[in-house]
Amino acid sequence: MDITSIIGLALGMAAVFGGAVLEGLPLSAIVQPTAFIIVFGGMLGAILLQSPQVDLVNAVKDLPIIFMGVKEKPGEVSELIVNMALKARKEGILALQAEIGSIEDPFLKKGLELMTDGTDPQLLRELLETELSHYEESVTHASKVWEGCGAYAPTVGIIGAVLGLIHVMQNLNDPSKLGGGIAVAFVATVYGVAGANLLFIPLGGKLKGNRRQTIMTRAMMLEGILSIQAGESPSFISEKLKVFMHGHDGGHKKDPGPEA
Amino acid sequence: MDITSIIGLALGMAAVFGGAVLEGLPLSAIVQPTAFIIVFGGMLGAILLQSPQVDLVNAVKDLPIIFMGVKEKPGEVSELIVNMALKARKEGILALQAEIGSIEDPFLKKGLELMTDGTDPQLLRELLETELSHYEESVTHASKVWEGCGAYAPTVGIIGAVLGLIHVMQNLNDPSKLGGGIAVAFVATVYGVAGANLLFIPLGGKLKGNRRQTIMTRAMMLEGILSIQAGESPSFISEKLKVFMHGHDGGHKKDPGPEA
Amino acid sequence: MDITSIIGLALGMAAVFGGAVLEGLPLSAIVQPTAFIIVFGGMLGAILLQSPQVDLVNAVKDLPIIFMGVKEKPGEVSELIVNMALKARKEGILALQAEIGSIEDPFLKKGLELMTDGTDPQLLRELLETELSHYEESVTHASKVWEGCGAYAPTVGIIGAVLGLIHVMQNLNDPSKLGGGIAVAFVATVYGVAGANLLFIPLGGKLKGNRRQTIMTRAMMLEGILSIQAGESPSFISEKLKVFMHGHDGGHKKDPGPEA
Amino acid sequence: MDITSIIGLALGMAAVFGGAVLEGLPLSAIVQPTAFIIVFGGMLGAILLQSPQVDLVNAVKDLPIIFMGVKEKPGEVSELIVNMALKARKEGILALQAEIGSIEDPFLKKGLELMTDGTDPQLLRELLETELSHYEESVTHASKVWEGCGAYAPTVGIIGAVLGLIHVMQNLNDPSKLGGGIAVAFVATVYGVAGANLLFIPLGGKLKGNRRQTIMTRAMMLEGILSIQAGESPSFISEKLKVFMHGHDGGHKKDPGPEA
Amino acid sequence: MDITSIIGLALGMAAVFGGAVLEGLPLSAIVQPTAFIIVFGGMLGAILLQSPQVDLVNAVKDLPIIFMGVKEKPGEVSELIVNMALKARKEGILALQAEIGSIEDPFLKKGLELMTDGTDPQLLRELLETELSHYEESVTHASKVWEGCGAYAPTVGIIGAVLGLIHVMQNLNDPSKLGGGIAVAFVATVYGVAGANLLFIPLGGKLKGNRRQTIMTRAMMLEGILSIQAGESPSFISEKLKVFMHGHDGGHKKDPGPEA
C-alpha cells in the first residue's frame, strides 16, 4: 500500500474543494456536466490520438502500483540471489531449475531460465540489458501518457472557458445572465487545471518514481544472475548487490544480505 | 487501421464542440471564415518558412500511418528472418537472392541485397546503422513539423484575438457591437488552441510513437541480417530477436518465432 | 531559390494582416511608429547585449541561404569525390592538386589541400572532425540569435502593451480616449507576437534545417577525403557515400554516384 | 551557517510584503486562511501523490544543509587524505584501521573500510563510483521535490483564484461585495507565486548547489582512497586532489594541502 | 571594449522608455520606489536563497568581461605557444621557465609550470582537462545566476502587480483612485519584465557566449602545452592550433600563426 499516494490524492482534493466550501462557495457551483464533457472528453480524445496503443495499455496497467506500491523488495531479492549463489556453488547451476517455478518476477525468472539453459555469458548480459532498457523505455512512455493528460487538461480547459465566454458575450443584452455565465466558463478552467495538477501530472511522476525502484531492483537481478553464472563467491555477490540498496547516506547499517 | 487515432480525433472534436452545443452555444457562433484564414493561414506560413522542404514532404507522407497503423509486424519479420537463416544454412547465402524480390520493406530489402552482394560484415553493419540513424532523424524532423504547427496555431490565434480586440476597441462608441465583436475575437483563440491540442500536437506525438515501432523493427532486421551473414544458428537468432518484441512484462509468453 | 521560405513568409503576412482587413479593420489601425520603436528597438537591444559579435555576424551572413537555398548538392559532391578517387588511383594523389583551385566549398578545399600536403591520416581526420564540429556549433549559435529575437519580441511587446495601458489608466477621466488608447497598447502585442511567430522563430528553424544539409554534405566530404587518402576503390567509396544522401525510405533508387 | 540563504529568505519576504505595506496595503488584507489551505494544502497533496516516499524523506532531511551550510571542507579532506597516505606509506595500509573510527563522513568511512578489508582495487572503484552516482541521483530527486512544490504552488494558486472568482460572480447582484471578493481571489495567486518564487524554487536550487560541493568532495575522497590503495606518493596525491578544490581562476594560490 | 554590449543595453533602454515618452507617457509615471523595492528586492532575495556563494561571487566577478570584452586573443596565444615550442626545441623545455613569470593567463601559467616541473604527460593532460571542465562548470553556474535573476524578476513583478490590484480593489468605493492605482500595479510588471528581458537574461547569455571563447582558447593552450611537452615540431603545432581559431567558413585565410 503506497500510503502517501492515497493521502496525497485525498488531501489535494479536500484542501482545494473543502477550502472553496469553507469560503462559502456551494459545491453545486462547480458541478457542471457540460464543462466536464468538454474538458475530459477533449483531453481523452487528444491523448488517444497521440499515444500508440501499447503505451495506453501500459499506462492503465501500471495504475495499481501507484496506490498499491512496488512489489519488489530489494532486500529480499538480494537475499534470494545470495541463497541461490550458495546453492549453485554446492549443487551446481542446474540445481536452480527447481527454484525457478516459484519465482514471480518475470525478469528474474527469464534471466534464471536463460542461465540454466546454458546461455553464453556475453549473450546473456546483452539479452538482459536490452530487455531492461526496453522496459525502462516502456515505463517512460507509459508515464508520458499521464503527463500528456496533465498537459492537455488545462489547454482544453481554456478552450472550454473561451467557448463559455463566447456564449456569455452573445447574451450581453441580458445582464442578469452575465455573472452566472462567466462562472460556468470558469468551471472549465478549474476542471482542467485541477485535473492536471492534483491528479494527472502527479500520477505520471509517481509512476516514474515507483518504476525507478523496479528498474534498480532489476539491475540488481541482472548483476546477481551474471555473478552466479560466473561462479563468484556468495559473500562477494552480497557485497556487490549492497550498492543497489542504499538510500541517502544513512542506509549503510541495514544490509539485509547474509554475510556468508 | 489505427482505431485509437480515429476514435481520439472524433472524440476530441465531439466532446469539445458537442459540449459547447449542449451548453446552448449555436455552432454558427464559432464558424468564422476570417478567423480561420488568420489562424491557419498564419500557421501554415510560419511552418513553411521554418521547415526544410524534405521535412514538409515527409510530414505529409507519414500522415497515413497515423490512421492506417504501422505495416511492419515484428512477429512476422522475426519469422521471416529465422526462415531465411534456415535457408541460408542449408543452401548458402546466395540462395536468398530469389526471395529479395518479394520483400516490401525497403530497409530489409537493401540490407539483404548488400549482404548477398558480399559486402564486408563491418561495412554492412556501418551502412545499416547509419541508414537507420538517418531514418530516425528524418522521423524526428517530420514529427517536428506537426509539433511546429501545434506551437504556432495558438500563438497566431492570439494575434487573431488581439487584432479582433483592436477592432472592437475602435467601435466602443457603439456598445451594441461590443459583445459580438469580442465573441469574434475569441473564436480565433478557440481555433488556435483547439487546432493545436486536438489535432497537431497529438499528430506529432503519434507519428513519433508509431515510427518508434518501425525503428525497433528495423533494428531487429539489422541484427537479423548480420546474424544470417555471420552464419549463426536459426534458434540462436530467434532467441536474440525476441528481445525486440517484448511489451511491458507480460509479453514473454507469446513468442511468435519458431523454436527450431 | 528556397521557394517554401518565400511562400511561407508571404502567406503568413498575407493571411494574418489580410484576414484582419477582410474583417473590416483598417490597416492604419495597426501602424504605430512608437509601438514599432519600443518592440523592435527593445528586442534589438536585448539581442545585441546577449550575443557575442561573431554570432551576430554569422546570423546575418546566413540570412541569404534561407531564401536562396543551400548551394551544396550531395549528389554532385558524391560524384566529384568519386571522380577524384578515380583520378587519384590512376595518377596518384598529387594529381588532385590541379583540381583544388576550382573547388568552391571551403571545407572540401581545405581537406583536399591538407590531404595533398601529405597530412598524416589520423591528424587529418582529427582536424576535419574538429573543423566540422566547430562549424556545427557556429551554426547553432547563429540560429540562436534568431530564436533569441523570437523570444524577446513578445516579451518586449508585453512591456509596450503595459506601458500603453499605464498611459490609458492616466486618462481614465476622459473616456473618449479609452478605446483608442487600449487599441494602441494592443498593437505592441501584435508586433511582438507576429514578429516572433511569422518571422524570427521560423527563420531560426530554417537556418538550422538548411545547415543540417550542409553539415551532412560536409560529413560526406570528410568521409570521401579520408577514403581517397586511404586508397579505397571508387566503387566502394561511392557505396559508402550513398548513405549520406538518402531521404525518407523512397530515396534508394536515385543514386547519382557512378557504379564504377 | 549559510548566511546568504538566511539573508535571501528574509530579504525576499521583507521586500515583497514590506513593500506592499509601504504602499499602504494593510498586511491583514493578505492574510486569508482559506486561501492558505487551498494553495498549500493542494500543493502538498500534489507533491505527496507525485513523489516516492524516499524522495520526500530525503527532501526534508536535506533541509538543514540549506541554512547550516555544507559540513565537508575540501581543504580539510585533502589534508586528511594526504596524512593517511603518509601513514600508509610508513606503517602500511592496515595502520589506517585505527583512524576510521573517528571519521564522520559515511562515504569516506565506507571507502576506507573496504580498502583496509583488502577489497580488490577494480571492485573498490566500481563500488565507490556506483555509490557516488546513486548519491547524485538521490540528491537530484530530493531537489525535484522542492522544485515540484515550486511548480504546483502557482498552478494551485490559479485554481484558488478562479474558485474565488466563481464565488464573486455568483454575488454580482451585490456590487458592494465585488472588490473585496476579487481581492480575496487574488490572495491565492499571491500565495502561490510568492511561495514558489521566494521559497520553494530557490530551496530546490540551493539544495542542488550545496550538494554539488558534497559530490565534488566525495569524488576527491574516491580518488584519494584509490591513490592510497595504489601506494602513490603523498605529494603526488596532494597534487591530484588540488584539482578538485579550485574556484573560478583566482583559486590557485591557496592550496591547503601539504607539499610533502 | 565589447561595443555591442554597451550599444545593446543603451538601445534597449532608450527604445522602450524613449518610445513610451514619445507616446506621451511622462517618465514620472513609471518611477515607483515601492514597486522597485518589491520587484528587485524580492528577486535579490530569491537569487541569494537559491545560489551557492561561490556562484554569486563568480557572477559578479565576471560582470566586467561583458562590457570590457574577453582578454584572450586566440591568435596571440597561438603565436606565443608556437614561439615557446621553437625555444623548447632549441634550448630545451627548462628554458621556458624564464618566460612563465610574464604570462598573465592563470591556466596557461599553471600548465607551463606543471610541464617544466616534469609532470608526467598522462597526468598533465588529466589535470588540465579536469581544470578546464571545472572552469566550464563554474562559468555555467555563474551565468545561471543572471538567468535566475531573469526568471525571478517577472514572477516577482507579478506578485507586485497582484498586491497592487488587491490594494486597488479595497478602494473600489473611491473610483477616482482606480486608474492611478492600477497604473501603479502595472509598473511592477514593467520593472519585472523589462529587468529580465533588457538586462538579466541578455547578461547571462553574453557571459556564456564570452566565456565560450575563453574556453576555446584554453582548449588551445591545453593542446599546445601537451604538444610542446611531446616535442612536436612548431609548424605541426601551428597547424593543429589553427583549428581552434576558425570562424564561420570565411576564416580560413587569416591564420595568424607562423608557418615555421
Side-chain angles (χ1 to χ4, degrees), chain B residues 38 157-171 178 181-182 184-186 188, chain C residues 20 23 25 186 190:
Chain B
I38 291 176
I158 286 171
I159 302 176
V162 179
L163 286 172
L165 292 175
I166 293 174
H167 197 187
V168 167
M169 290 299 156
Q170 296 200 313
N171 296 307
L178 196 69
I182 294 178
V184 167
F186 283 162
Chain C
E23 217 185 332
L25 184 75
F186 282 162
V190 170

Side-chain angles (χ1 to χ4, degrees), chain D residues 5-233:
Chain D
S5 292
I6 294 161
I7 293 178
L9 185 56
L11 174 61
M13 292 297 180
V16 168
F17 296 107
V21 171
L22 272 181
E23 218 185 334
L25 185 76
L27 269 189
S28 65
I30 53 173
V31 174
Q32 267 293 105
T34 50
F36 189 91
I37 290 172
I38 291 176
V39 175
F40 296 108
M43 179 199 84
L44 190 63
I47 205 70
L48 285 177
L49 177 52
Q50 172 171 295
S51 310
Q53 285 179 35
V54 60
D55 296 349
L56 291 167
V57 169
N58 286 337
V60 172
K61 262 176 38 188
D62 278 352
L63 210 46
I65 71 152
I66 291 172
F67 296 101
M68 305 308 295
V70 180
K71 263 186 305 197
E72 296 88 354
K73 302 269 167 283
E76 292 172 15
V77 169
S78 162
E79 209 178 323
L80 181 66
I81 288 173
V82 173
N83 284 338
M84 286 197 291
L86 278 168
K87 189 167 184 182
R89 277 227 153 174
K90 285 188 212 140
E91 311 171 30
I93 279 177
L94 287 178
L96 297 178
Q97 279 178 326
E99 305 208 2
I100 293 173
S102 63
I103 286 169
E104 271 184 51
D105 186 274
F107 183 81
L108 182 57
K109 190 168 200 157
K110 179 169 193 198
L112 289 170
E113 278 171 4
L114 286 169
M115 184 186 72
T116 54
D117 285 359
T119 309
D120 172 73
Q122 184 55 32
L123 178 65
L124 181 57
R125 172 176 287 279
E126 245 173 65
L127 287 172
L128 293 179
E129 281 179 351
T130 315
E131 180 97 17
L132 188 53
S133 91
H134 286 184
Y135 177 71
E136 274 191 67
E137 231 184 84
S138 82
V139 170
T140 305
H141 291 298
S143 78
K144 271 189 183 157
V145 170
W146 294 110
E147 287 167 8
C149 289
Y152 287 123
T155 50
V156 181
I158 286 170
I159 302 175
V162 179
L163 286 172
L165 291 175
I166 293 173
H167 196 186
V168 166
M169 290 299 158
Q170 296 200 314
N171 296 307
L172 273 189
N173 41 3
D174 182 356
S176 71
K177 289 187 181 167
L178 197 67
I182 293 178
V184 167
F186 282 162
V187 169
T189 309
V190 170
Y191 283 1
V193 181
N197 287 283
L198 300 181
L199 190 61
F200 298 122
I201 299 177
L203 280 187
K206 182 69 137 256
L207 200 58
K208 229 181 334 191
N210 276 354
R211 284 314 199 187
R212 223 171 66 212
Q213 191 184 324
T214 305
I215 287 164
M216 183 71 95
T217 309
R218 291 195 171 180
M220 184 206 268
M221 292 171 183
L222 192 159
E223 215 51 64
I225 292 168
L226 291 168
S227 296
I228 295 177
Q229 193 183 35
E232 293 173 5
S233 91

Side-chain angles (χ1 to χ4, degrees), chain B residues 125-176:
Chain B
R125 172 176 285 281
E126 246 173 63
L127 287 173
L128 293 180
E129 281 179 351
T130 314
E131 180 97 17
L132 188 54
S133 91
H134 288 183
Y135 177 71
E136 273 191 68
E137 231 183 85
S138 82
V139 170
T140 305
H141 291 297
S143 79
K144 271 190 182 156
V145 170
W146 294 111
E147 287 166 8
C149 290
Y152 287 123
T155 51
V156 180
I158 286 171
I159 302 176
V162 179
L163 286 172
L165 292 175
I166 293 174
H167 197 187
V168 167
M169 290 299 156
Q170 296 200 313
N171 296 307
L172 272 189
N173 41 2
D174 182 357
S176 71

Side-chain angles (χ1 to χ4, degrees), chain A:
Chain A
M1 193 68 88
D2 188 331
I3 201 71
T4 54
S5 292
I6 294 161
I7 293 178
L9 184 56
L11 174 62
M13 292 296 181
V16 168
F17 297 106
V21 171
L22 272 181
E23 218 185 332
L25 185 76
L27 269 190
S28 66
I30 53 173
V31 174
Q32 267 292 106
T34 50
F36 189 90
I37 290 172
I38 291 176
V39 174
F40 296 108
M43 179 199 84
L44 191 61
I47 204 71
L48 285 177
L49 178 52
Q50 172 171 296
S51 309
Q53 285 179 37
V54 59
D55 296 349
L56 291 167
V57 169
N58 287 337
V60 173
K61 262 175 38 187
D62 278 351
L63 210 45
I65 71 152
I66 290 173
F67 296 101
M68 305 307 297
V70 181
K71 263 187 304 199
E72 297 87 352
K73 303 270 167 279
E76 291 171 16
V77 169
S78 162
E79 208 177 324
L80 181 66
I81 288 173
V82 174
N83 284 337
M84 286 197 291
L86 278 168
K87 189 166 185 182
R89 276 227 154 175
K90 285 188 212 139
E91 311 170 31
I93 279 178
L94 287 179
L96 298 178
Q97 278 178 327
E99 305 209 2
I100 292 173
S102 63
I103 287 169
E104 272 185 51
D105 185 274
F107 183 82
L108 182 58
K109 190 168 200 157
K110 179 169 191 196
L112 290 170
E113 277 170 4
L114 285 169
M115 184 186 73
T116 54
D117 285 358
T119 309
D120 172 73
Q122 184 55 32
L123 177 66
L124 181 56
R125 172 176 286 279
E126 246 172 63
L127 287 173
L128 293 180
E129 281 178 351
T130 315
E131 180 97 17
L132 188 54
S133 90
H134 288 183
Y135 177 71
E136 274 191 68
E137 232 184 84
S138 82
V139 170
T140 305
H141 291 299
S143 79
K144 271 189 182 157
V145 170
W146 294 111
E147 286 166 8
C149 290
Y152 286 123
T155 50
V156 181
I158 286 171
I159 302 176
V162 178
L163 286 172
L165 291 174
I166 293 173
H167 197 186
V168 167
M169 290 299 156
Q170 296 201 312
N171 296 307
L172 273 188
N173 40 3
D174 182 356
S176 70
K177 290 186 181 168
L178 196 68
I182 293 179
V184 167
F186 282 161
V187 168
T189 310
V190 170
Y191 283 1
V193 182
N197 287 283
L198 300 181
L199 190 60
F200 299 121
I201 300 177
L203 280 187
K206 183 69 137 251
L207 201 58
K208 229 180 335 190
N210 277 353
R211 283 314 198 186
R212 223 171 66 213
Q213 191 183 325
T214 306
I215 287 164
M216 182 72 93
T217 308
R218 292 194 171 181
M220 183 206 268
M221 292 171 183
L222 191 159
E223 216 50 64
I225 292 168
L226 291 168
S227 296
I228 295 177
Q229 193 182 35
E232 293 174 4
S233 89
S235 66
F236 185 76
I237 295 174
S238 164
E239 197 62 40
K240 268 168 77 175
L241 299 189
K242 268 180 206 164
V243 96
F244 292 97
M245 280 179 294
H246 289 151
H248 203 65
D249 267 354
H252 305 303
K253 283 121 202 169
K254 358 174 184 138
D255 295 331
E259 298 290 335

Side-chain angles (χ1 to χ4, degrees), chain B residues 58 62 110 123 131 134 138, chain C residues 197 212 236 243 246 248 252:
Chain B
N58 287 337
D62 277 352
K110 180 171 191 196
L123 178 65
E131 180 97 17
H134 288 183
S138 82
Chain C
N197 286 282
R212 223 171 64 212
F236 185 74
V243 96
H246 288 151
H248 203 67
H252 305 303

Side-chain angles (χ1 to χ4, degrees), chain B residues 3 36 53 61 85 134-135 138 167 181 184 195 203 218 224 230 234 243 251:
Chain B
I3 200 72
F36 189 90
Q53 284 178 38
K61 262 176 38 189
H134 288 183
Y135 177 71
S138 82
H167 197 187
V184 167
L203 281 188
R218 292 194 171 181
V243 96

